[in-house]
Amino acid sequence: MIKQALISVSDKTGVLDFARALSAMGVNILSTGGTAKLLADNGVAVTEVADYTGFPEMLDGRVKTLHPKVHGGILARRDFPEHMAKLAEHDIPTIDMVVVNLYPFQATVAKQDCSLEDAIENIDIGGPAMLRSSAKNHKDVVVICDPSDYSVVLDEIKNNAGVVSYDTRFGLATKVYSHTAQYDGAIANYLTSLDASRSHAARNTYPQSLNVAFEKVQDMRYGENPHQSAAFYRDVQPTAGALANYRQLQGKELSFNNIADADAAWECVKSMGGFDQSAACVIVKHANPCGVALGASAVDAYLRALQTDPTSAFGGIIAFNVEVDAAAATELAKLFVEVLIAPSFSAEAKQILSAKQNVRLLEIALGNGVNAMDFKRVGGGLLVQSADAKNVLISDLRVVTKLQPTQQQLQDMMFAWRVAKYVKSNAIVFCGNNMTLGVGAGQMSRIDSARIASIKAQNAGLSLENSVVASDAFFPFRDGLDVVVDAGARCVIHPGGSMRDQEVIDAADERGVVMLYTGTRHFRH
């Protein structure tokens, strides 16, 4: 039975209603500082911890709850007579519930003007101590660190004669240890990012000690291959618009490869904003876009994207940046698809696609957020880098040939460049009129990528005459340029930066094509 609860929270979301409900059930409430004032000011009977322990808060609030009358009441095992006798000897009542969340350390250090002193003073001591004590003794103490659990606990108390089940207590305790581990990890990351000057402004992006935290979403049936096990984890706070925010509307359970390919499709389609036509469609197979197009509507964009490589699209992942309506769903239902992703699906589209029960429908709200860091596991270590979040603007481009691009060519080159960013290196992408015409991906030789891209276009019956080409890195020799020009390209966009740049520029002038430099490379391994 919950007879006494200690409530001390920085995030006061929902705490007043929760405390009122406990008080109405006859639970005695202990509290500190601002939480105690909030409860008292709103008519909730509350005892200050300082009055309870007979020992005042001190050291500017650094010492509030670090007292035997608090931790003894939390940690005593109710099934150990010697523990209970010791409490009686020292007149220490049991504390049956602890509701604590911690000083906002992460929010504090995220501020540009944060000082080391500010950061240090926002390292909570008493809070983690109470949480860990309560979680250790979860058999006898209900511990809550997340306001979203208030209603769960109240429902159990009301429906179970004042008792919270062991399963719930255990689940809340495990949540506490994850929470305090993340909190300590954030502190370690911050402090080890400081240089010798201890300046917040000069801290290193890559701390000496890197602690990361993810929450498991689900186990996978298997990994990339059936003999591998796997699970999907997401950030504790996923960025806006990230794949991890998906809501699955129908279909089989997502696989390891589904999620990896879906992320490639979703990130690519998100990057297609800013062009004249609002609808974009990306078709991905084996982590590479095999068809990308803009269109006047979802169905228009899809049908244009499908033209690039209808063979590879079979069994692919398809993403849209607009709602999938009935017209698009009717066409999509004609193709075997693993996953469909969009910001929304109309009621009619859901009805049409419900006939394809195995197709996974994912709804994700659009957003411009990107992961702060990319990770790549290697043997015995971890590579960490900032995300490739740069989108080249027209103002960043430099025309290096005598021939200047038309406005349509310029737009097509910008479109091609956006697509090339999401194609595995070495990447060559032919485009025209805001759609891909041929994609060459992942070859050891850039020349082979160019040849494969032109073969793809030929197989799809698409002409490359007067097309544009994007290359994710520079052409080291003129031979790669000659291959794409021979195939029909009249404009080329690439980063530049080769020792033989002038040789390639001279070749472009000789062949009568436009060449633009972006100054930015987009390797994708």
Side-chain angles (χ1 to χ4, degrees), residues 109 111-116 190 193-195 197-205:
V109 299
K111 298 175 182 175
Q112 291 297 318
D113 59 351
C114 175
S115 65
L116 177 58
Y190 177 79
S193 73
L194 300 177
D195 64 11
S197 71
R198 313 290 201 280
S199 168
H200 175 84
R203 68 190 187 280
N204 196 312
T205 303

Side-chain angles (χ1 to χ4, degrees), residues 191-430:
L191 294 179
T192 64
S193 73
L194 300 177
D195 64 11
S197 71
R198 313 290 201 280
S199 168
H200 175 84
R203 68 190 187 280
N204 196 312
T205 303
Y206 304 99
Q208 290 298 313
S209 172
L210 179 63
N211 296 271
V212 295
F214 297 90
E215 297 176 335
K216 189 163 81 169
V217 177
Q218 66 185 83
D219 289 314
M220 306 277 94
R221 287 179 295 163
Y222 51 79
E224 282 186 286
N225 300 290
H227 62 273
Q228 296 172 265
S229 61
F232 175 45
Y233 289 78
R234 67 175 161 220
D235 287 318
V236 176
Q237 293 181 316
T239 58
L243 177 79
N245 296 302
Y246 73 81
R247 185 168 70 98
Q248 186 167 352
L249 304 183
Q250 73 163 51
K252 295 188 298 185
E253 186 177 66
L254 289 161
S255 72
F256 183 98
N257 293 331
N258 287 158
I259 290 175
D261 286 352
D263 186 59
W266 183 241
E267 289 299 317
C268 184
V269 85
K270 284 198 304 179
S271 75
M272 290 297 154
F275 292 98
D276 291 341
Q277 293 169 300
S278 59
C281 176
V282 175
I283 306 173
V284 163
K285 188 72 173 289
H286 291 269
N288 279 298
C290 60
V292 183
L294 304 179
S297 63
V299 66
D300 182 35
Y302 165 65
L303 291 174
R304 300 182 82 229
L306 184 63
Q307 288 182 63
T308 306
D309 192 351
T311 301
S312 296
F314 182 85
I317 310 288
I318 304 179
F320 296 85
N321 65 351
V322 295
E323 181 176 84
V324 171
D325 57 15
T330 300
E331 292 299 327
L332 289 163
K334 298 175 182 178
L335 180 70
F336 168 58
V337 179
E338 290 279 0
V339 182
L340 293 175
I341 315 168
S344 60
F345 294 82
S346 72
E348 295 85 354
K350 292 176 188 176
Q351 180 62 37
I352 292 166
L353 294 168
S354 66
K356 313 276 284 188
Q357 294 182 3
N358 288 334
V359 177
R360 304 147 175 102
L361 301 189
L362 306 185
E363 275 190 350
I364 310 173
L366 281 171
N368 295 321
V370 295
N371 294 333
M373 296 291 173
D374 280 343
F375 303 123
K376 184 178 178 64
R377 200 77 166 90
V378 297
L382 183 73
L383 286 169
V384 183
Q385 65 175 350
S386 61
D388 185 6
K390 183 175 181 180
N391 277 329
V392 171
L393 305 175
I394 288 178
S395 57
D396 298 321
L397 304 179
R398 181 162 65 97
V399 181
V400 294
T401 50
K402 297 173 183 176
L403 201 59
Q404 299 291 309
T406 65
Q407 281 302 115
Q408 182 60 53
Q409 289 174 330
L410 193 59
Q411 175 156 316
D412 279 341
M413 280 189 280
M414 290 298 292
F415 174 80
W417 184 248
R418 292 278 180 93
V419 176
K421 178 180 176 181
Y422 296 95
V423 177
K424 297 289 187 181
S425 193
N426 286 312
I428 294 290
V429 181
F430 286 87

Side-chain angles (χ1 to χ4, degrees), residues 5-35:
L6 192 157
I7 304 176
S8 180
V9 294
S10 290
D11 178 1
K12 295 177 173 54
T13 303
V15 75
L16 182 56
D17 289 340
F18 183 64
R20 277 182 177 144
L22 292 178
S23 183
M25 297 174 189
V27 176
N28 182 52
I29 296 176
L30 309 176
S31 192
T32 62
T35 306

Side-chain angles (χ1 to χ4, degrees), residues 91 96 107 134 163 170 252 293 345 422:
D91 192 24
D96 312 302
S134 307
V163 175
F170 183 81
K252 295 188 298 185
F345 294 82
Y422 296 95

